[in-house]
């Protein structure tokens, strides 16, 4: 249907009416809170006298004070570094596994594909809190089967919930929970590759490995970009897993990840102004990182296209 | 035709097996991919298998017998869990179901109507509106949740069912998926034909477009259901009365107490097992009716 033939039968207002619920909800639960957070982040409480009695605590303009305080806060910085280390494990391993499983599902003559596809996707349905709880018990020497086996073999039993291994332990929970979803995204775009492309590759005598590396992976690059994008956002916002593991170990502090520090500042120490500034900083970092990544990925894709690559 | 011929040609297809010296079943089963997938499935099922078995153990068996050996305390565990604080666990499960079913239903309606509008009409501000909605995906939940809490506190709504339900109705990802489905599933001529017949826009949406969008909307519903069922941060911030807790938050508080008293471990484990059951069941039942592929926004034309 060409747009020229599309006459208006009192249609003009319809799209706006249809979008009204979403717009109202967006204004109330997205735009307003974001605006309020920014407003809060620029204010602070001024206490006069001993801070007793009405009017002793007043909201005053703070300018960028909350921001400079947050950015020079060593706890927040330490949390950011921890999450960086965690992300450096989670993102490559999770997406590597997702790509591997997707390619295996897509290969010829593979058996049990529907069963394994569902099994690998299953953790997506399990709440992050429950996943952390399950793995937490599997990490706990007194109940873990792994420790039982290590003990039976007389091998040393590492403490998985402390120091360096803690990163591995936390990463494993995220990898376990996220691989299946990403696998589906990549697998879907693998299946969208026209059959002729595979046939041409085979006629040229390409091995499955060569086909995967030279044809399939370049052709699913856009969905790899998408999964990277989602993974970066999820990593920066890690909260549930370390919070759930906290009762099981002393090594997870209340400020382990930046979001946990925001929560503590808002509801633990009660400095919502400071917490708002930190939340805004995390949001900006998320935007900069994810858009930076998207732009870099787009540039790469364009270069590949210009060089007459597989695209 | 050619594809059949090529598929039967042996040299290229058996290469993986041959290269690794595993020839016996070559040409029938691709061993390496199957083995890799089975390992992946084992990794993903292991903790679930563990919790199934651990939930059958009594408190003493949990610490004394080999972990993958079934115990004898399953019925007792369920009874203890039900008795804990006058059956608050069942209350949590009911709350989770309420938040997830109602939230996902409302969310799917909003997504469907927005997605249809964005896909079907050309109007001023369409792309701007879409992009602004989509930017919501990028917002860290906590930057929204803290001011949402403060705003809802102003309206005296914190610590109520509303405080957990309302913020989760609009899902930017749901709108995004709905727009893609609507664009693929609802042809422009059909909408135009409806108009020729004198149907109003709302009627066209409910009678013509919506039935065509059903498979996609099932996916959006399930996606939202899982997202709300699994949500932890929002109820963690909004609620203080554990009568209104969803399962995730309830189990977390149970674990927090359990870390001081290992006797509660069996309750936590049994609770975790029961929390997993409804979603796994839902997935197994519904997987016949929806395609996982729809989750990535891919639509077959």
């Amino acid at each position: 249907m060409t747009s020229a033939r599309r006459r208006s039968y009192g249609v003009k207002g319809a799209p706006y009416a249809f979008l009204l619920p979403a717009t109202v909800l967006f204004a109330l639960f997205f735009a307003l809170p974001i605006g309020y957070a920014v407003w809060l982040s620029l204010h602070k409480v001024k206490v006069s006298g001993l801070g007793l009695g009405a009017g002793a605590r007043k909201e005053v303009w703070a300018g960028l004070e909350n921001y400079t305080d947050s950015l020079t806060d060593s706890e927040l910085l330490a949390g950011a570094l921890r999450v960086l280390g965690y992300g450096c494990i989670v993102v490559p391993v999770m997406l590597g596994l997702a790509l591997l499983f997707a390619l295996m599902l897509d290969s010829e003559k593979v058996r049990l594909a529907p069963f394994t596809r569902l099994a690998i996707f299953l953790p997506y349905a399990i709440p992050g809190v429950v996943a952390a709880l399950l793995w937490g018990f599997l990490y706990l020497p007194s109940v873990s089967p792994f420790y039982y086996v290590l003990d039976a073999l007389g091998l040393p039993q590492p403490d998985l919930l402390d120091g360096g291994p803690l990163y591995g332990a936390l990463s494993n929970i995220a990898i376990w929970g996220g691989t299946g979803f990403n696998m589906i995204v990549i697998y879907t775009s693998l299946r969208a590759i026209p059959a002729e492309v595979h046939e041409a590759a085979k006629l040229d005598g390409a091995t499955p490995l060569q086909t995967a590396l030279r044809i399939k992976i370049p052709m699913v690059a856009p969905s790899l970009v998408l999964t990277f994008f989602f993974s970066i956002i999820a990593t920066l916002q890690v909260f549930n897993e370390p919070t759930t593991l906290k009762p099981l170990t002393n090594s997870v502090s209340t400020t382990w990840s930046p979001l946990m520090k925001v929560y503590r500042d808002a509801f633990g120490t009660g400095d919502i102004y400071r917490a708002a500034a930190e939340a805004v900083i995390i949001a900006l970092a998320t935007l900069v990182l994810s858009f930076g990544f998207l732009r870099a990925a787009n540039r790469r894709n364009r270069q590949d296209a210009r060089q007459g690559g597989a695209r | 035709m050619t594809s059949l011929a090529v598929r039967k040609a042996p040299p290229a297809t058996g290469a993986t097996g041959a290269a690794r010296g595993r020839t016996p079943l070559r040409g029938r089963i691709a061993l390496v991919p199957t083995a890799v997938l089975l390992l992946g499935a084992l990794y993903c099922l292991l903790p679930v298998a563990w919790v199934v078995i651990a939930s059958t153990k009594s408190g003493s068996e949990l610490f004394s017998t080999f972990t993958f050996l079934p115990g004898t305390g399953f019925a007792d565990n369920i009874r203890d869990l039900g008795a804990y604080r006058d059956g608050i666990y069942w209350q949590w499960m009911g709350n989770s179901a309420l938040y997830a079913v109602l939230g996902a239903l409302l969310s799917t309606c909003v997504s469907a109507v927005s997605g249809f509008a964005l896909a079907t009409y050309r109007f001023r501000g369409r792309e701007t509106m879409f992009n602004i909605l989509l930017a919501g995906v990028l917002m860290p939940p906590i930057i929204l949740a803290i001011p949402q809490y403060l705003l809802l506190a102003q309206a005296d709504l914190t610590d109520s069912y509303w405080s957990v339900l309302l913020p989760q109705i609009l899902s930017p990802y749901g709108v995004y998926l709905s727009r893609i489905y609507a664009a693929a599933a609802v042809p422009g001529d059909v909408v135009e034909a409806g108009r020729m017949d004198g149907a109003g826009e709302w009627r066209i949406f409910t009678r013509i477009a919506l039935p065509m969008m059903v498979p996609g909307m099932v996916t959006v519903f399930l996606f939202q259901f899982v997202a709300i069922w699994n949500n932890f941060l929002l109820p963690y911030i909004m609620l203080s009365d554990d009568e209104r807790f969803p399962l995730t938050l309830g189990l977390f508080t149970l674990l927090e107490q359990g870390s001081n008293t290992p006797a509660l471990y069996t309750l936590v484990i049994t609770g975790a097992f029961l929390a997993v059951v409804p979603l796994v069941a839902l997935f197994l039942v519904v997987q016949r009716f929806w395609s996982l592929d729809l989750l990535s926004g891919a639509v077959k034309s």
Side-chain angles (χ1 to χ4, degrees):
Chain A
M1 181 65 24
T2 58
S3 53
R5 273 207 52 197
R6 189 170 275 212
R7 274 163 295 160
S8 99
Y9 294 83
V11 171
K12 280 241 162 94
Y16 299 104
F18 284 173
L19 282 166
L20 191 66
T23 312
V24 170
L25 286 167
F26 187 87
L28 278 178
F29 293 105
F30 283 80
L32 197 59
I34 293 169
Y36 193 31
V38 173
W39 188 88
L40 281 174
S41 71
L42 297 170
H43 288 75
K44 63 179 178 184
V45 157
K46 190 177 175 164
V47 182
S48 48
L50 290 169
L52 302 169
R57 297 170 63 84
K58 230 171 35 179
E59 260 176 6
V60 294
W61 176 256
L64 293 176
E65 197 182 308
N66 288 320
Y67 287 95
T68 48
D69 282 357
S70 303
L71 287 171
T72 52
D73 185 334
S74 60
E75 261 185 332
L76 192 68
L77 188 70
L81 286 176
R82 274 189 290 264
V83 165
L84 189 72
Y86 162 88
C88 284
I89 308 175
V90 173
V91 178
V93 175
M94 179 170 72
L95 296 183
L97 280 178
L99 178 63
L100 176 71
F101 292 142
L103 285 170
M104 296 294 114
L105 279 174
D106 193 52
S107 57
E108 285 188 352
K109 300 191 180 77
V110 66
R111 287 299 147 94
L112 298 168
F115 162 73
T116 50
R117 187 164 79 118
L118 196 65
I120 296 170
F121 183 66
L122 182 76
Y124 165 76
I126 291 172
V129 169
V130 174
L133 206 148
L134 291 184
W135 280 104
F137 279 113
L138 291 174
Y139 297 150
L140 217 57
S142 55
V143 287
S144 171
F146 308 130
Y147 285 96
Y148 194 95
V149 171
L150 288 177
D151 191 35
L153 295 174
L155 290 169
Q157 304 172 351
D159 185 356
L160 286 175
L161 291 173
D162 193 28
L166 178 68
Y167 286 88
L170 279 167
S171 306
N172 176 52
I173 300 172
I175 292 164
W176 183 78
T179 299
F181 181 87
N182 293 304
M183 173 189 78
I184 294 293
V185 175
I186 300 169
Y187 177 61
T188 308
S189 67
L190 272 177
R191 290 212 318 192
I193 300 176
E196 301 90 71
V197 177
H198 290 159
E199 280 155 22
K202 252 188 270 172
L203 286 174
D204 289 347
T207 64
L209 185 67
Q210 284 172 330
T211 315
L213 290 179
R214 304 263 177 83
I215 296 171
K216 291 185 178 178
I217 294 179
M219 286 192 89
V220 298
S223 64
L224 285 175
V225 169
L226 188 74
T227 52
F228 253 108
F229 181 71
F230 278 132
S231 311
I232 291 174
I233 297 173
T235 301
L236 287 170
Q237 302 176 5
V238 60
F239 180 86
N240 294 1
E241 292 84 0
T243 305
T244 313
L245 281 190
K246 202 154 61 69
L248 295 176
T249 170
N250 292 324
S251 309
V252 180
S253 61
T254 50
T255 58
W256 193 87
S257 86
L259 281 201
M260 289 169 76
K261 174 154 164 58
V262 176
Y263 179 85
R264 201 222 35 198
D265 287 347
F267 298 99
T269 41
D271 189 351
I272 50 169
Y273 308 94
R274 181 71 174 274
E278 288 165 351
V280 171
I281 290 170
I282 295 170
L284 287 177
T286 312
L287 285 175
V288 168
L289 271 176
S290 44
F291 276 116
F293 170 74
L294 276 187
R295 284 195 57 171
N298 277 338
R299 202 172 308 141
R300 266 294 293 279
N301 278 352
R302 271 203 299 278
Q303 264 168 15
D304 286 353
R306 227 176 296 136
Q307 285 160 4
R311 305 195 86 240
Chain B
M1 314 326 113
T2 43
S3 72
L4 274 178
V6 172
R7 226 163 256 168
K8 274 177 192 154
T13 49
T16 322
R20 294 172 202 235
R22 291 181 197 168
T23 43
L25 287 169
R26 141 183 171 193
R28 305 249 256 87
I29 299 179
L31 271 180
V32 176
T34 308
V36 168
L37 286 173
L38 278 175
L39 278 177
L42 183 73
Y43 167 60
C44 290
L45 292 179
L46 188 79
V48 183
W50 177 82
V51 78
V52 172
I53 292 166
S55 66
T56 66
K57 292 178 188 238
S58 67
S60 57
E61 285 169 339
L62 185 65
F63 298 103
S64 58
T65 61
F66 177 58
T67 27
F68 277 103
L69 216 61
T72 55
F74 186 59
D76 286 339
N77 288 343
I78 302 255
R79 201 173 311 129
D80 290 349
L81 187 65
Y84 176 74
R85 305 247 338 263
D86 293 326
I88 191 141
Y89 182 84
W90 302 119
Q91 174 87 26
W92 293 338
M93 192 170 266
N95 290 341
S96 268
L98 178 79
Y99 292 129
V101 171
L102 202 60
L105 215 55
L106 289 170
S107 178
T108 309
C109 293
V110 172
S111 297
V113 74
S114 315
F116 171 75
L118 288 166
T120 313
Y121 301 98
R122 316 197 141 265
F123 55 95
R124 188 184 289 275
R126 179 173 79 150
E127 289 310 310
T128 316
M129 236 163 165
F130 182 64
N131 288 333
I132 290 174
L133 279 176
L134 212 55
V137 174
L138 293 177
M139 279 300 133
I142 201 145
I143 194 185
L144 296 172
I146 290 175
Q148 274 170 357
Y149 172 84
L150 298 168
L151 290 169
L152 284 167
Q154 297 277 318
D156 236 351
L157 283 174
T158 45
D159 204 17
S160 72
Y161 283 105
W162 296 113
S163 64
V164 176
L165 197 59
L166 291 176
Q168 299 193 87
I169 294 175
L170 181 65
S171 154
Y173 191 56
V175 174
Y176 163 76
L177 288 180
S178 301
R179 181 189 178 169
I180 293 176
Y181 300 140
V186 186
D189 335 17
V190 176
V191 174
E192 194 70 13
R195 267 182 214 138
M196 296 285 196
D197 291 344
E201 298 304 311
W202 179 247
R203 203 175 155 80
I204 290 174
F205 170 66
T206 52
R207 292 295 164 83
I208 302 172
L210 205 53
M212 291 172 157
M213 289 166 65
V214 162
M217 293 309 105
V218 171
T219 305
V220 172
F221 176 84
L222 285 171
F223 174 79
Q224 271 306 102
F225 186 93
V226 172
I228 298 175
W229 185 279
N230 293 356
N231 199 344
F232 171 72
L233 183 66
L234 187 73
Y236 187 52
I237 284 178
M238 292 291 176
L239 303 175
S240 52
D241 182 355
D242 62 7
E243 292 274 311
R244 285 183 272 279
F245 279 8
L247 268 180
T248 47
L249 193 49
L251 279 173
F252 174 72
T253 52
L254 202 57
L255 180 69
E256 257 186 331
Q257 287 162 15
S259 60
N260 303 321
T261 38
L264 281 176
Y265 275 2
T266 48
L267 285 192
V268 178
I269 290 169
T270 312
F273 164 67
L274 291 176
V276 169
V277 170
L279 278 188
V280 173
L282 183 78
F283 264 73
L284 291 180
V285 170
V286 176
Q287 60 142 335
R288 296 163 176 279
F289 305 108
W290 72 311
S291 149
L292 287 183
D293 307 348
L294 292 177
L295 203 60
S296 58
V299 193
K300 287 187 205 81
S301 46

